[in-house]
């Protein structure tokens, strides 16, 4: 099972919006609405930001939103803030022999 | 609030067995999947395997022949064993909880341990 494809890095200025893409196949992202997103600051554990494509866990800012079209899921961060600078990983349920696959990760820099 | 804490040796010799335990506090092990994920330095996340509270397990095929995840409900703990380790197994190892979710897919991890670095070296 190959990792889902994410851009290696993205950047934006404070207040701007950025969108991180996560491309999979019809065996994962394309066929299931079970995409999740994690934020990871350096030296810290990942934190769940979005699950089941669009749902935000309690306590996660509504500046984070998720969507999906075909084999590509997206995480949008609106009103970018300095604290949003981190690595972001997507994940999807898959019908392959591994029930879960992670994305390659995207480093978000706030300029 | 559920908390998870990994414990185990930080240094393992090549060809030996890596053993880690995750202790769950603030909640029951029952009714959830419990998983292990690892991250080599500067690299991405790799899903290792998981166990349901009933004992059902799933493993990453790339590691399946070397991995065992087990559960001790009396201690609210679950464990990872990885045999015949090499330098490629050096990573930060995380334990995490996965709710069953829709259709029982347990497709996301909502609570994570802080992670523990395991180095494979002689």
């Amino acid at each position: 099972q190959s990792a889902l494809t994410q851009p290696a890095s993205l950047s934006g200025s404070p207040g701007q919006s950025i969108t991180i893409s996560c491309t999979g196949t019809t065996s994962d992202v394309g066929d299931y609405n079970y995409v999740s997103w994690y934020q990871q600051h350096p030296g810290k554990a990942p934190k769940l930001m979005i699950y089941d494509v669009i749902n935000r866990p309690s306590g996660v800012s509504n500046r984070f939103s998720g969507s999906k079209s075909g084999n590509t899921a997206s995480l949008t961060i609106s009103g970018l803030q300095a604290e949003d600078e981190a690595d972001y990983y997507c994940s999807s349920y898959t019908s392959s022999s591994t029930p879960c696959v992670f994305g390659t990760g995207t480093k978000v820099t706030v300029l | 609030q559920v908390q998870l804490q990994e414990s185990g040796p930080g240094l393992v010799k090549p060809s030996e067995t890596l053993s880690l335990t995750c202790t769950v506090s603030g909640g029951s092990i029952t009714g959830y999947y419990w998983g292990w994920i690892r991250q080599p330095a500067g690299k991405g996340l790799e899903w290792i395997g998981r166990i349901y509270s009933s004992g059902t397990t799933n493993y990453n095929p790339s590691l399946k022949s070397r991995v065992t995840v087990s559960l001790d409900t009396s201690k609210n703990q679950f464990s990872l064993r990885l045999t015949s380790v090499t330098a490629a197994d050096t990573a930060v190892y995380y334990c995490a909880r996965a709710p069953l979710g829709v259709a029982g897919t347990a497709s996301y991890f909502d609570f994570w341990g802080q992670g523990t670095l395991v180095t494979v070296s002689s």
Side-chain angles (χ1 to χ4, degrees):
Chain A
Q1 177 67 41
S2 298
L4 307 175
T5 302
Q6 298 180 233
S9 62
L10 287 173
S11 62
S13 299
Q16 287 185 330
S17 293
I18 63 170
T19 297
I20 305 169
S21 62
C22 170
T23 301
T25 69
T26 52
S27 295
D28 39 65
V29 176
D31 216 27
Y32 301 99
N33 289 325
Y34 304 135
V35 176
S36 51
W37 290 90
Y38 301 88
Q39 176 192 65
Q40 186 180 35
H41 287 110
K44 300 295 186 181
K47 174 187 176 184
L48 180 67
M49 305 301 284
I50 295 286
Y51 66 96
D52 294 350
V53 179
I54 60 171
N55 295 313
R56 269 189 316 274
S58 175
V60 172
S61 171
N62 59 9
R63 297 186 298 104
F64 292 85
S65 61
S67 63
K68 193 189 86 166
S69 177
N71 293 342
T72 299
S74 299
L75 174 72
T76 298
I77 309 174
S78 305
L80 203 59
Q81 299 180 0
E83 67 208 47
D84 301 331
E85 186 163 292
D87 293 326
Y88 291 83
Y89 293 90
C90 64
S91 176
S92 176
Y93 177 79
T94 97
S95 58
S96 74
S97 50
T98 302
C100 172
V101 61
F102 285 103
T104 50
T106 298
K107 181 176 181 59
V108 169
T109 301
V110 180
L111 302 171
Chain B
Q1 180 82 333
V2 174
Q3 293 185 312
L4 294 87
Q5 178 68 57
E6 304 90 350
S7 59
L11 181 64
V12 181
K13 289 182 168 55
S15 80
E16 295 190 346
T17 297
L18 179 160
S19 295
L20 296 174
T21 295
C22 183
T23 301
V24 180
S25 59
S28 173
I29 276 192
T30 303
Y32 294 92
Y33 273 94
W34 302 91
W36 290 95
I37 304 99
R38 69 180 183 180
Q39 184 174 37
K43 296 189 177 181
L45 301 169
E46 181 180 26
W47 190 91
I48 299 172
R50 69 181 187 184
I51 187 166
Y52 186 56
S53 53
S54 65
T56 300
T57 54
N58 303 102
Y59 299 122
N60 187 324
S62 68
L63 301 169
K64 189 172 185 177
S65 62
R66 300 193 293 130
V67 172
T68 303
V69 179
S70 59
L71 198 60
D72 187 338
T73 53
S74 67
K75 295 182 179 179
N76 247 30
Q77 293 177 335
F78 62 106
S79 299
L80 170 70
R81 276 176 47 92
L82 182 65
T83 62
S84 305
V85 297
T86 69
D89 296 310
T90 294
V92 173
Y93 285 76
Y94 295 100
C95 61
R97 187 185 84 166
L100 276 180
V102 176
T105 54
S107 61
Y108 61 90
F109 295 102
D110 59 353
F111 288 98
W112 294 64
Q114 64 185 25
T116 187
L117 174 63
V118 178
T119 302
V120 178
S121 175
S122 55

